[in-house]
Amino acid sequence: MTFAICRTAKLSTTSKQTSAQGHNRREIEVKNADPDGVHITLIGEGKTIPELVDARIEAAGIKPRKNAMKAQELFLSASAAYFRPDSPGEGGQYDPARLD
């Protein structure tokens, strides 16, 4: 059986951005995550999420309102059985055509 996940969240404040960072980068304990699992940061290595968001806003030359939503988090995933139907237990492996 395969599953797909699509989750969005508004990250309107620095504290919400920092909380998302702690969860996504496994800087805090996440109950449903494998503690021995592999974690890869693809964008912004060495910078915090609020720093990345503020840099993008500044680069765009935008002055957001005080109550503006500064970021939107989007998470898309599918189960291992989808990405590697012949070997779902082989973490880090995937069928490139299915990834595309």
Side-chain angles (χ1 to χ4, degrees), residues 28-92:
I28 60 173
E29 183 179 341
V30 179
K31 291 180 184 178
N32 62 341
D34 178 0
D36 298 324
V38 177
H39 172 75
I40 300 169
T41 299
L42 298 176
I43 299 172
E45 185 66 40
K47 294 191 178 194
T48 67
I49 299 297
E51 288 171 342
L52 294 167
V53 169
D54 289 342
R56 290 292 298 260
I57 291 170
E58 185 177 321
I62 299 169
K63 176 135 175 77
R65 295 184 324 267
K66 186 176 180 179
N67 65 343
M69 183 183 69
K70 291 185 173 183
Q72 179 79 26
E73 179 181 48
L74 174 64
F75 177 82
L76 300 170
S77 184
S79 59
Y82 173 79
F83 285 115
R84 27 183 203 279
D86 297 330
S87 57
E90 296 295 318

Side-chain angles (χ1 to χ4, degrees), residues 2 76-85 93-96 98-100:
T2 60
L76 300 170
S77 184
S79 59
Y82 173 79
F83 285 115
R84 27 183 203 279
Q93 304 298 318
Y94 59 90
D95 178 342
R98 288 185 175 244
L99 183 62
D100 289 343

